Amino acid sequence: MSILGTRVVRTEDPRLLTTGATYLEDLRLPELQGAAYATFVRSPMAHARITEIDVSAALAEPGVVAVLTARDLDDIPDRPAGAGAEPLLAGDVVRFAGEPVALVLTEEAYQGEDVAELVSVDYEELPVVVGVDQGLRDETLLFPGTDSNVVSTGGAEAFDDAAFADCEVVVERTIVNQRVAAAPLEVRATAAIWADDRMTLWVSTQNVHGVRDAVVDRLGLGKGAVRVIAPDVGGGFGAKIGADRETITVGWAARRTGRPVRWVETRNENMVGMSHGRAQVHTVTIGGSRDGRVSAYRLDIVQDCGAYIRLGTMLPNLTMLMASGVYDLPRVETAYRTVLTNTTPIAAYRGAGRPEATAAIERAMDLFAAEIGMDAAEVRRRNLVPPDKFPFTTKTGATYDTGEYAKALDTVLDAAGYEELRAEQRRRRERGDPRQLGIGVSTYVEITGGGPEAGETARLSVHTDGTVTVWTGSSPHGQGHATAWAMLVQDELGIPMDRITVRHGDTDVLTEGVGTFGSRSLQLGGTAVHNAAVEVKERARELAAEEMEADPADLVLDTENGTWTVRGVPGQGVAWAQLAERAGPDGLSADTKFATKQATFPFGAHVAVVEVDIETGVPRLVRHVTVDDAGPVVNPILAEGQRHGGIAQGAAQALYEEMAYDEYGNPVTATLMDYTFVTAAELPSFELVAMETPTSVNPLGVKGIGEAGTIGSTPAVQSAVVDALAHLGIRHIDMPATPERVWTAINEARTAQ
Amino acid sequence: MNVTITVNGEKTSHEVEDRTLLVHHLRDAVGLTATNIGCDTSTCGSCTVLLNGESVKSCTVLAAQVDGDEIQTLEGLTGEDGEMDAVQNAFQQKHALQCGFCTPGMVMAATSLLRENPDPTEDEIRMALKGNLCRCTGYHNIVQAILTAAEDAR
Ligand code: FES
Ligand code: FES
């Protein structure tokens, strides 16, 4: 029986559960002995001119190794200083609160903050741009010499109202997809040494190769001059993709001073220094007929970029691409503008551009349903892409590979007991229950895996003792690659998992690779491993044929016990160890790269059940039921784990989380006391329903599962809050649906009645 | 000052600065790095250890305050032979960890909860974990693991 699809517990766990993992801060390597500790001096202002930096008091402190500022960055290549270009350390101007201005190196970790306080920076305040509305006004420009804060636009140049001309009903609404923090439990961290003209960086990252390339590029080093190693990584969620300016600066400082340097930020720094996610404002327009058919949809996106361009110009393109969701819509118009503001730059966060697309269309569907007085699930059903239309190309140019959208919707409604929930809702409304019930339904499709650079590498070696090492370019941070990749190999080669070691996260060991993000690992990295196993198996077949003096075509591998025999000939057969021996000095190995331009399109449907306390406005998620279909599942416990985590993060965006700024550009949620990170106490257990629709894009038939939970849950939970109050005439409440917002909406609705 | 702390059953003695936090002391002087630091506001619980059997956030305790006391960390749960205890086991069986960063604190919080309340309900578990944040698991499997560990102990 195949091991694939079975609930194998993680082989990673015993180490993590007994001695703990080795995160960057846990490294006790001889190379890092005597390392100086790095502390960044960060701007307290959102927008200001730096008139002077006086480091003399700091330098006079005991234990100070160096105090470095932008002036010292004279040994790296110049960068074109265009609008949105991010420096390593701020030069003349700071553009967001928390921006690094100087780097202090000290002998002891505890000295760092004391010394950083002694670096005296004179700031001359500049007017501040907070929020996209202010940014679009262009009264204050973040980059003088430009004529606008808009750094990028795309999509339709002008919208055509004729698209809605024949609609019986048209609804338009501006909705906010708020700024949130990725907040991995392990903050950002880097250690660096410069020795023998080479830099070695240990980085808490999702993609060592991307970090290497960015550091090489920014510091003007030779391609072979940088090695990047990822120790265990304590979560990333998109925000640990690539090399942040702090990481590059720490590497540079190690070269500059000739000292090993290590840096671990504080949580407070993490909340302002690590890229934020989402931060889009949508104007949705949806039109159709009273029978529930939607004929036109328009999505106008304004992306808050933050102060510099990280991914702020890329994300809305993904949002536009996925704008029409699971629906077969005759007319779709999209456009975006990306606007600089004096806030932390925006980049990827679990879903990165796709949750925003789903949130917008799902909200629009709800608004349309409310306007025509039809059940929200029914309106969705009437507009889904039918199964016989795949592959389906949307009006925005995405070609969906496979999908069973109606089945997903019906399955989740059934599992949730939708009719009974509606009946309970009616009962509570009739008796004026102070705790009203809301039912939110969302359907979604997202894009994973494909793209021009898509691909992933693997190397597989069978050793002469019969054990296997797998190297993967896809460096995990909690996803369980070591277990899943070993399962793929066992399935193909019949070598038991406990004889298979999976290694990753070192650019010297596997010089090419991509990483773990965008729900890409299994479909690309897993396929690369699978293909390597297939290659090794074919080579082994030849070797076994030689050994047994038979025709390769007659050789059979018994995957139950990992031995090769000749068909129809009784006997012991040959084992993998023997074949590895026979393979000679090069061993029995394969190097593979799997790449495909074709993306996959996981999809699903969620039902959220929320209780809203009408007196206090407090919403509470009481049930969350999901169908998340990402094709065949290699290991259900891993896939479920991804879904659970995603649902929690998505629900948290709907109900709790927001990175907020005051009018001066001060972040007001920069600690975990203020940022309402969701806890166990606010969440229910989740109800997951399995569904597997394969794709033909890769030999495993799999799609990505990492972001699905987040994408589906946010709109379902938001919708459930609104639905609980629908009888009061409430049609929309922006996220996060805090008690204050909900209470205000209730109050306004009651006053209006 | 000199502090003597019994950590996982072994007596340790070190010179510490007055301001040294227990979590730093455990990690840097005692050399036990399972206990993690995830925040600076005593919110995340990554640093949870047992102090004389009760769970505390070791980032909110000074090393000097626990002179003469007993501390247990994740490393101290494992048996002589490397065997995991019931809670550790349940965490693996129920896939209650992904990146593992919250895990040492979570396991210690769970251990303390089960000592006080060997038969907790799901709601009680969720309330008890309020001070321990996890970004990866959505808490679902952590709750399941604690229910399982409680059941296994019966
Ligand atoms: S590090 Fe102690 S509570 Fe966060
Ligand atoms: S497992 Fe990653 S934070 Fe809990």
Side-chain angles (χ1 to χ4, degrees), chain A residues 672, chain B residues 23 36-48 57-60 131:
Chain A
L672 289 185
Chain B
V23 65
N36 291 319
I37 302 166
C39 75
D40 32 27
T41 46
S42 197
T43 321
C44 76
S46 308
C47 62
T48 305
K57 292 180 173 177
S58 61
C59 71
T60 9

Side-chain angles (χ1 to χ4, degrees), chain A residues 282-300:
Chain A
H282 301 144
T283 303
V284 295
T285 314
I286 187 167
S289 47
R290 294 201 171 271
D291 64 0
R293 254 319 277 179
V294 175
S295 48
Y297 174 61
R298 176 188 293 164
L299 173 61
D300 188 6

Side-chain angles (χ1 to χ4, degrees), chain A residues 629-661:
Chain A
D629 187 335
V633 172
V634 169
N635 183 340
I637 69 168
L638 297 182
E640 288 162 11
Q642 287 298 312
R643 292 164 71 186
H644 291 152
I647 295 166
Q649 278 175 326
Q653 181 180 7
L655 294 179
Y656 304 111
E657 297 185 10
E658 175 166 32
M659 273 305 306
Y661 289 85

